[in-house]
């Protein structure tokens, strides 16, 4: 689905002058179940930006699995509390990722290549993107390169999943065109980015998904093949001797040297059967909540290396220039037609919604995301409330 810039830009204009506005945030006081603790709160307009800062209108912000864990209080990244005048308790505004439009520039921010109306990626972790507006420091945003085909949905989801996929394909094994990569949870948003970025790099992918009812498995396989997947199988293939040997036959004499793990548990143990000597298993998610179990023989006799990857750590360890270079590469891949928008749904919290209605909408959505994977990326579009 394309969500054209004009649709968002004209939905409600955000003042760049003294016009009085309110803004709305989705926030919580104490960690807990997101569907219970999140509240919509309308607050007074942002004041004019302080020196070195920008006022932003958030265009779209995704709901990622890690956002749920942050609100639950079980994720290593912690949000910073914001004080809202008139509200006694400190609040944590939820949301880590998103794209925004600059509405006003504080003094000292001119001459840095940014103008009112520019789109920026929120670069600071846990900045509270589930809002209609935010004030942020200049150093906490990166201007989005304007390239053909880069939509607002691409931009809103460009900080977490595509870079994770790109870096895992790049940083561990020196892969050459024609090499195979295997991954589980291949239909996840990260998995879909892996398929497409691998295709752009002329790599081949074996994609493992959960068994599904009825025609669901075939539909999911077709969708992943349309994205560029070379092989798509369900996990049961790995425990069926005949199917496993057929699968190995497809791979020919090219041993797999990179396996990407989003799931953990038995599924991952079985995935190792497809690896050749000196391979890397890179874990970035633990969706099954089951620990990894790797037979010792893989380390002794097959030279397996098992590593973890965390994109937030990558950002911590790298310079701003490296981050900008990564964004350039990813937007190039989008512009070349390889990286499509993730399958998604946009949930609008509209200007007319009262805070009670907005809270209800947000809690219902979070309950769905919390209890299972919704099968699409959910993005929030929160409008300034009407006063
Ligand atoms: N380390 C990092 O830097 C990094 C970066 C981005 C994301 N992540 C992590 O990667 C994971 C996926 O994120 P996403 O945004 O791509 O999520 P997503 O699009 O919601 O996909 C979730 C995936 O997990 C699978 N899944 C859910 N429960 C499962 C279970 N019990 N057993 C096996 N598979 C299960 C789903 O399969 P079904 O469709 O069959 O339900 C789906 O493929 C999350 O854990 C996220 O935190 C990590």
């Amino acid at each position: 689905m394309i969500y054209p810039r004009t649709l968002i830009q004209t939905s409600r204009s955000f003042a760049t002058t003294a016009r009085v506005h309110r803004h709305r945030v989705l926030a919580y006081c104490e960690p807990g179940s997101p569907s219970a603790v999140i509240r919509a709160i309308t607050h007074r307009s942002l004041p004019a930006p302080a020196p070195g800062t920008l006022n932003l209108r958030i265009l779209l912000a995704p709901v990622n699995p890690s956002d749920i864990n942050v609100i639950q209080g079980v994720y290593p990244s912690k949000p910073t509390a914001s004080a809202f005048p008139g509200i006694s308790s400190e609040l944590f505004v939820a949301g880590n990722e998103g794209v925004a439009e600059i509405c006003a520039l504080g003094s000292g921010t001119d001459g840095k290549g940014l103008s009112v109306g520019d789109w920026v990626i929120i670069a600071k972790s846990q900045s509270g993107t589930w809002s209609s507006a935010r004030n942020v420091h200049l150093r906490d945003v990166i201007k989005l390169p304007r390239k053909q085909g880069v939509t607002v949905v691409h931009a809103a989801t460009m900080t977490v999943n595509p870079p994770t996929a790109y870096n895992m394909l790049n940083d561990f094994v020196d892969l050459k065109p024609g090499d195979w990569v295997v991954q589980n949870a291949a239909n996840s948003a990260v998995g879909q980015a892996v398929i497409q970025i691998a295709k752009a790099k002329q790599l081949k992918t074996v994609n493992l998904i959960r068994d599904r009812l009825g025609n669901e498995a075939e539909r999911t396989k077709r969708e992943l093949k349309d994205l560029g997947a070379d092989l798509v199988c369900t996990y049961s293939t790995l425990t069926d001797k005949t199917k496993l040997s057929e699968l190995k036959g497809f791979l020919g004499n090219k041993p797999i040297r990179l396996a990407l793990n989003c799931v953990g548990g038995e599924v991952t143990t079985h995935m190792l059967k497809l690896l050749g000597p000196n391979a890397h298993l890179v874990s970035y998610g633990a969706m099954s909540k089951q620990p990894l179990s790797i037979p010792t023989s893989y380390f002794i006799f097959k030279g397996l290396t098992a590593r973890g990857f965390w994109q937030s750590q990558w950002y911590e360890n790298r310079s701003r220039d490296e981050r900008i270079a990564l964004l350039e590469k990813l937007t190039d891949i989008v512009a070349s037609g390889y990286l499509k928008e993730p399958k998604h749904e946009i949930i609008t919290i509209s200007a007319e919604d009262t805070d009670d209605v907005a809270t209800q909408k947000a809690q219902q959505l979070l309950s769905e995301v919390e209890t299972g994977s919704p099968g699409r990326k959910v993005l929030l579009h929160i409008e300034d409330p009407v006063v």
Side-chain angles (χ1 to χ4, degrees), residues 64-66 160-161 164 185 187-190 210 212 262-263 284-288 309-312 373-374 377:
N64 287 316
S66 55
V160 178
N161 293 337
T164 300
N187 63 317
S188 67
V190 177
R210 282 205 270 197
R212 288 165 143 69
C262 173
V263 176
Y284 67 95
M287 293 305 293
S288 72
F309 179 81
W310 191 25
Q311 185 57 40
S312 305
S373 35
K377 189 56 67 188

Side-chain angles (χ1 to χ4, degrees), residues 157-173:
T157 54
M158 197 55 93
T159 322
V160 178
N161 293 337
T164 300
Y166 184 91
N167 288 324
M168 291 192 303
L169 288 171
N170 251 340
D171 291 1
F172 295 93
V173 178

Side-chain angles (χ1 to χ4, degrees), residues 287-309:
M287 293 305 293
S288 72
K289 300 194 172 77
Q290 297 301 312
L292 265 183
S293 170
I294 304 177
T296 312
S297 58
Y298 279 94
F299 294 109
I300 300 175
F301 303 117
K302 292 190 86 177
L304 179 73
T305 301
R307 299 276 302 275
F309 179 81

Side-chain angles (χ1 to χ4, degrees), residues 84-139:
F84 284 79
I87 297 179
S88 55
S89 50
E90 285 192 315
L91 290 175
F92 299 99
V93 181
N96 173 52
E97 192 181 23
V99 63
E101 182 185 48
I102 299 179
C103 302
L105 298 151
S107 65
T109 59
D110 46 354
K112 311 279 186 200
L114 292 174
S115 315
V116 168
D118 281 348
W119 282 13
V120 291
I121 300 286
I122 315 288
K124 187 181 173 204
S125 162
Q126 308 305 328
S127 287
T129 53
W130 296 0
S131 333
S132 60
R134 292 303 273 166
N135 171 258
V136 299
H137 201 280
L138 175 71
R139 64 171 172 264

